[in-house]
Amino acid sequence: MEAKTPIALVQQGTTSKHRVITGVLGTFPQQVEEEGRREAIHAPTLIIIGGVVSLHDTLEWFRP
């Protein structure tokens, strides 16, 4: 897949600890490492790859 392919990490979806990190494949490992330093990333976590990630801002329906 291309480095510019969208990717999202969704942690603890639809709970009060819901968290989403979005980026692109080429830089995502570094981005997740940096985010993990601020607050640990742990299960349950879903990884989504592809164009559907670009809909995140439009479909961001959940606010704890």
Side-chain angles (χ1 to χ4, degrees):
M1 298 181 108
E2 295 184 29
K4 63 181 181 181
T5 302
I7 184 169
L9 183 146
V10 181
Q11 179 179 301
Q12 298 185 9
T14 71
T15 71
S16 61
K17 295 181 180 184
H18 179 95
R19 179 177 175 194
V20 178
I21 303 169
T22 59
V24 294
L25 282 175
T27 58
F28 205 63
Q30 296 88 348
Q31 185 179 350
V32 169
E33 185 176 338
E34 185 177 308
E35 289 283 337
R37 286 186 195 128
R38 289 185 212 140
E39 183 179 341
I41 297 168
H42 52 80
T45 301
L46 178 68
I47 299 174
I48 303 165
I49 302 172
V52 71
V53 173
S54 64
L55 297 173
H56 174 259
D57 291 338
T58 304
L59 301 175
E60 186 179 12
W61 59 272
F62 185 78
R63 301 201 197 287

